[in-house]
Amino acid sequence: MDDSSTDDDTASQTTEDDPQVPDNQTSAPPPPPPPVLSPPHPPVSTTSVQREKPHYQLRHTLRGHTMSISAVKFSPDGKLLASCGAEKVVKIWSPETGDFLRDLSGHTQGLSDIAWSFDSVYLASASDDTTIRIWDVESGVTYKHLKGHTKWVFCLNYNTASNLLVSGGCDGDVRIWNAARGKCMKTLHAHLDYVTAVHFNRDATLIVSCALDGLIRIWNTSDGQCLKTLAEGHDAICQHVQFSPNSKYILSTAHDSAIRLWDYHSTRCLKTYTGHVNSKYCISACFSVTGGKWIVAGSEDHKTYIWDLQTREIVQVLEGHTDVVVAVATHPIQNMIATGSIDSDLAIRLWTDRGPRPSA
Amino acid sequence: MNESLINPFNLSHPTTVQTSLFAGAQIARFDPTGRFIAAGRAIGSADIWDLETRAPIRWLDGHVRGVTSIDWSRNSRYVLTSSKDWNVLVWDLASACDPPQRHCTIRFDAPVISASFHPRNSQIVLALLSTGEAYLCDLRKTERSRIELVELMEESDDEQGQSTRTRSFMTVARFEPSGKYIFIGTTAGSLLVFNSRTKAMIARHKISGAGIMKGLDFAKSGRRLVTNSSDRTLRQFILPSYAGCEENGLLDQELEPTHRFNDPINKTAWHAMSYSPDGEWLAGGAADPAAHKVYIWDISNDGQFASALDGGREPLLHLHWHPKKSCIASTTNQGSILIWHCPNPERWGAFAGGFEEVDENVEYDEREDEFDIEDEEILFERKMKAEEEEVDIDTLAASSDPNASALVNGNVMDVIGGSTNGTPASTVAVVGIMGDKDPDILWADEEPDGDDPGEWRMRIVMDNEAADYY
C-alpha cells in the first residue's frame, strides 16, 4: 500500500500540522512531519511540563434533521460533512459555512452509518432497509445498490484505496464488498449479535469488528480468517472500534463508560479514558491528530469530552447539545469537530479550535 | 506490518492455487506494491487486475499484435507494454480518463521482444528487438536519446581472429535492480554488462556450456542472478563488484555458478523463473507441453529442490513471484492466470479471547502468586502506572515499510551467499548508503517522472460496463 498518511479513508484520521495551533510552548514536541516515515523512537515525553490544551468553541449549529442522528463524517478532503439519521436521507453540509447543501434520498428505512471514499466523490450509506447505497455525492445519484445483508446494516467502512467496502449487520455478519461492482465478495459469520462497528486498517490487510456480544475480532481481509479476539470485561459491551491512524492500536468504546486503546498484537489495554457517561447508546469515539493528540467522544450527559491521548486527562468538555451526543467526527485537516445528537436536540454542532482566547 | 499476526509461520513458499483469473493473458506481472497484476494478451491488449477484488479495473488497448512483455514503474504509476507490432507503449494509471490513454509511444523498426523501465526513473526504457539489438531510450527532455548498446569487441591484431568473432545476437536484456547496470544475454552464451549512464560495456561474462541465453532474473538486492539458457539449466551466480570497471577497462571474467537447477528426469526446459522477495526461494516455470509445473528451490538451504507444484493440464507460459508475499502468478497457454498462495490453517483459538493455541502439550508452572487475591487498589494503581506509557498513534513505524525490510533481508542473505565468493558483501550496502553521491544514481534521478509514493492514487472507476463481461 502507499505510505502517505495525508489521506486516509476515514475523515477523522489524518496527520497534518495545523497552523492554527498556538506555538506558545517551546518545549512541546514538534509534530512529526506527515508523509515521511519517522524514526521508531517515541517523541520526547513532556509530562513534566505544561501540556497544550484544546480550545474548541461552537462555530455552527446545523439544523435540519427531523429524527435522531446516527453518524456524522467529514469527507477526506475536508470540504463536506455528511450526516445521517433515522429519517432515510443522508444530508450533506458545508463545514466551512455551516450551510445545508443537499439530501441523498433513496433508502426506504433509517440510516445507521456512512463512509466516504478516499477521493471524497462517493459516499456509502448503511440502512435499516438491509441495503447499502453508494452515492455520487455531487449529483446525488445512487451508483450502486448493495444487497445481501439479511437484517439491518449497522456500520460500514471503506478501505484506503476505496476498492473495498466492509459492512456489519444486525444478523452478526460482516460482509466484504467490491465497491466498484457492488458485489459481495465474502461474508464472515463474525458475531452472534449486532455488529456495531467495522474498520479497515491502513493497508486493508485487517478488519476489526465489534458487536454487542462483547467481542472485538480482528480478521484477515484476504481470506476472511479470524486472527484474534479481544474480550472486554463482563459489563463492558463494546460498541465502537477503530484502528489508530497508523494502525498500530485500536480504540474501543464500551458500555462501562470507558474508552480503551488496545495494542492488538499483545492484547494489552494501553490507555483507558473515563469521565463521560456511556451505558446505553452506541457512542463513537475518534482520534484528533490535527493539532494536539486528543481522543474525542460524545456522552450521555449531553456533553462531548476531549481527552489528552497520553495523560488520559479530560482537557475540554464541549457543552451545547440538549440530548445524548452519539455521533462525533474530527476534520481531516483543520481543528474542527462535528457532533450530532438525538431525540430532543437533532442538531449537528461544529466546533473549531482557533487557539487560546486572548486572556480575558 | 501485520505479517506476524496474519501468518506467524511465514517461512514457506506457495503450495496451492488460490484463484485463477480468466484474463486471456500470456504474461502476468505483479506491480511493486503487490496490489495489482498486469496481464498481457496475444491479441495486443493488456488489463490491470485488482488482486483485492480479483477483478479487472483498467483496459489498456493500444497494440495490434501480441504483448511480449510488461513492466511497472517503481511505485506502480506507469505500465509499459512491448509488442510484436514494433511499439513500446507507456500508460499512466494516474490519468483521469478511463480507458487510460497511452502516455507515450516508442517506435522501433522490428518487433520488440522485451522492454523495461529503469528501476529509478520510468523515462529511461530498455528495449530488446527481435533482430538481436538492444536500445536504451531516454525520454527525458534534457537527455533525449536512443542509443544502441553495442558489444565491445577486443581489438585484436590478428585479422583472422577478428573475422571469426562476429557480434552475437542479444536475446535477453534486463536492468539490474539498482538500475546502474544493464545485463544482456547473447546467443553465444555470454552475459554482457553495460553501464546505464555511459552506455559503455564494462564487463563480459562467458558462461560455459550455457548455449543461448533465454532469461535473467535478479534477487532484489541485485547481487544474485539466475540465468535460463538453452541447455535447460538455470544457473545462479553471485555477481562481482563492477566498481572501478569504467576506469580499468573491460572486465572479462568467466562466472562460475553457485548452483545449477534442472530437472534431472524430464530434462524440461524453462519458460521463466522468479526469486521470492526475500531471495530465499527460486521458482522455475517448466516448459512442459502437457502440464503446468512450477518447481521451487530453497536457496537458503543450499539450493535444495523443495517441491514441484502442479497446476493442471494447461501448459505454463510465464510466472512471477509477488513482490512482498508468498504468492506466485503463473499464466497458462489458455489465458488463465493462476494465483498460488500458501494457505493459512484456520486457527480456531483466535475466536476465543485471551486464548493461545499451542502445538504441543506443555507442563504449566503456576506462578507463586498466581492465585493470590491482590488488593484491587494496588492493581488499579499499577494499571494506571502502566497507562502512563506514551503511545504513538499516527507515525508509521519505519519497519512497516516492506520494501526496506525486504531489502535488508536480501542483503543479509547475500552476506551468507557471498561469503564463499570471497568478495565482501558490503558492496551492496555501499550502493545503498552512498546512493546519493553515486553519479549513476544522480543521473537516473534527474527529471523525476512523478511516480512518487503518495503523490498519486488510482482513481475509483465505478461504472464499468466492460467489467460485467468477466
Side-chain angles (χ1 to χ4, degrees), chain A residues 13-310:
Chain A
Q13 308 183 351
T14 301
T15 323
E16 197 130 343
D17 306 342
D18 195 302
Q20 295 173 350
V21 176
D23 201 16
N24 54 357
Q25 282 140 30
T26 48
S27 55
V36 295
L37 298 171
S38 298
H41 61 78
V44 190
S45 168
T46 52
T47 39
S48 54
V49 297
Q50 229 230 304
R51 299 178 70 101
E52 52 177 328
K53 280 193 159 48
H55 301 87
Y56 279 93
Q57 295 171 36
L58 182 64
R59 174 100 172 271
H60 297 295
T61 304
L62 318 179
R63 295 195 186 274
H65 277 283
T66 56
M67 293 171 88
S68 291
I69 293 168
S70 53
V72 289
K73 294 278 166 72
F74 285 102
S75 64
D77 62 5
K79 291 179 183 151
L80 298 171
L81 175 73
S83 67
C84 68
E87 76 250 74
K88 308 173 194 174
V89 294
V90 180
K91 288 186 182 292
I92 307 290
W93 314 80
S94 162
E96 198 46 48
T97 62
D99 291 338
F100 168 71
L101 298 178
R102 68 187 72 89
D103 273 335
L104 309 178
S105 43
H107 280 296
T108 56
Q109 295 286 323
L111 280 81
S112 296
D113 201 6
I114 41 180
W116 288 91
S117 67
F118 80 86
D119 55 4
S120 306
V121 172
Y122 303 103
L123 182 88
S125 58
S127 167
D128 286 352
D129 64 12
T130 73
T131 66
I132 295 164
R133 280 174 188 263
I134 299 179
W135 310 84
D136 181 317
V137 174
E138 195 56 43
S139 65
V141 170
T142 300
Y143 255 104
K144 295 286 172 202
H145 197 180
L146 280 53
K147 296 172 194 160
H149 276 287
T150 54
K151 273 195 153 184
W152 316 307
V153 191
F154 203 83
C155 50
L156 80 176
N157 183 235
Y158 264 111
N159 68 341
T160 314
S162 300
N163 57 342
L164 300 177
L165 194 66
V166 61
S167 64
C170 293
D171 45 7
D173 285 353
V174 167
R175 282 176 184 261
I176 304 170
W177 307 80
N178 176 344
R181 299 275 176 86
K183 300 257 166 69
C184 183
M185 292 168 54
K186 209 168 275 150
T187 304
L188 315 176
H189 301 294
H191 293 278
L192 298 173
D193 209 330
Y194 288 26
V195 178
T196 51
V198 282
H199 195 235
F200 277 111
N201 72 338
R202 283 190 62 77
D203 58 3
T205 50
L206 303 180
I207 293 169
V208 65
S209 68
C210 74
L212 294 184
D213 60 8
L215 302 173
I216 301 171
R217 286 202 164 121
I218 296 175
W219 307 86
N220 183 348
T221 309
S222 63
D223 59 10
Q225 283 186 1
C226 180
L227 299 173
K228 200 142 204 168
T229 299
L230 312 179
E232 303 208 42
H234 290 296
D235 49 349
I237 302 297
C238 169
Q239 343 112 39
H240 191 264
V241 70
Q242 66 186 309
F243 283 100
S244 67
N246 61 359
S247 295
K248 267 172 83 175
Y249 309 112
I250 56 177
L251 184 73
S252 69
T253 69
H255 275 169
D256 60 348
S257 296
I259 298 169
R260 293 184 180 83
L261 187 73
W262 300 81
D263 179 342
Y264 57 88
H265 281 278
S266 62
T267 328
R268 214 158 58 91
C269 173
L270 299 175
K271 303 268 184 191
T272 312
Y273 305 92
T274 52
H276 65 309
V277 185
N278 181 7
S279 56
K280 192 174 158 201
Y281 291 90
C282 261
I283 289 179
S284 63
C286 54
F287 293 96
S288 171
V289 293
T290 48
K293 308 283 178 257
W294 321 121
I295 302 289
V296 187
S299 167
E300 285 161 19
D301 59 6
H302 309 179
K303 296 172 190 164
T304 304
Y305 288 79
I306 305 177
W307 289 266
D308 185 306
L309 170 75
Q310 306 295 358

Side-chain angles (χ1 to χ4, degrees), chain B residues 87-352:
Chain B
N87 287 327
V88 171
L89 300 182
V90 179
W91 309 83
D92 182 1
L93 296 183
S95 79
C97 54
D98 183 71
Q101 303 298 306
R102 58 182 82 172
H103 181 64
C104 76
T105 307
I106 313 169
R107 213 177 150 71
F108 292 95
D109 308 330
V112 187
I113 293 177
S114 80
S116 53
F117 285 128
H118 187 287
R120 295 185 77 91
N121 195 327
S122 65
Q123 297 169 91
I124 307 168
V125 172
L126 171 69
L128 178 74
L129 307 186
S130 63
T131 51
E133 300 159 322
Y135 288 92
L136 192 65
C137 302
D138 203 323
L139 307 171
R140 296 176 294 182
K141 287 193 182 70
T142 51
E143 303 265 346
R144 191 168 281 271
S145 62
R146 176 183 296 195
I147 293 168
E148 187 181 352
L149 300 175
V150 185
E151 183 180 359
L152 201 67
M153 295 313 208
E154 286 106 289
E155 286 165 37
S156 150
D157 298 332
D158 186 358
E159 283 290 314
Q160 202 134 20
Q162 188 111 21
S163 58
T164 53
R165 277 201 66 157
T166 50
R167 286 220 166 84
S168 45
F169 273 104
M170 296 175 176
T171 48
V172 53
R174 286 287 297 268
F175 280 106
E176 160 265 352
S178 77
K180 288 176 70 167
Y181 307 112
I182 295 166
F183 282 70
I184 288 178
T186 67
T187 46
S190 54
L191 273 179
L192 313 177
V193 186
F194 291 81
N195 181 304
S196 333
R197 177 172 56 96
T198 60
K199 284 91 180 167
M201 183 167 138
I202 54 171
R204 177 192 287 121
H205 300 297
K206 178 86 190 118
I207 292 158
S208 52
I212 302 164
M213 301 303 288
K214 288 171 64 188
L216 287 178
D217 191 50
F218 290 90
K220 249 188 185 167
S221 66
R223 289 265 297 149
R224 273 183 299 145
L225 165 78
V226 62
T227 62
N228 179 18
S229 48
S230 59
D231 70 339
R232 307 184 166 212
T233 302
L234 306 180
R235 290 176 172 79
Q236 176 179 266
F237 301 97
I238 306 287
L239 293 174
S241 166
Y242 297 106
C245 270
E246 279 96 311
E247 294 85 51
N248 304 341
L250 190 73
L251 174 77
D252 209 335
Q253 184 188 12
E254 194 156 315
L255 278 184
E256 192 52 39
T258 58
H259 296 99
R260 287 184 174 84
F261 306 104
N262 52 22
D263 179 349
I265 300 152
N266 300 325
K267 281 279 172 203
T268 52
W270 306 98
H271 271 320
M273 64 277 173
S274 186
Y275 276 111
S276 66
D278 55 8
E280 297 196 8
W281 305 94
L282 177 72
D288 190 320
H292 191 98
K293 284 224 154 63
V294 178
Y295 287 65
I296 309 269
W297 291 278
D298 187 350
I299 303 291
S300 57
N301 195 3
D302 200 33
Q304 225 170 51
F305 171 72
S307 88
L309 312 179
D310 188 352
R313 276 203 219 127
E314 297 174 10
L316 176 144
L317 293 181
H318 189 261
L319 72 83
H320 188 222
W321 201 302
H322 190 283
K324 290 171 184 175
K325 283 196 296 190
S326 178
C327 175
I328 292 174
S330 64
T331 49
T332 74
N333 70 344
Q334 301 298 306
S336 297
I337 304 172
L338 306 185
I339 308 284
W340 300 81
H341 76 148
C342 179
N344 301 332
E346 186 82 71
R347 281 180 292 153
W348 301 108
F351 281 93

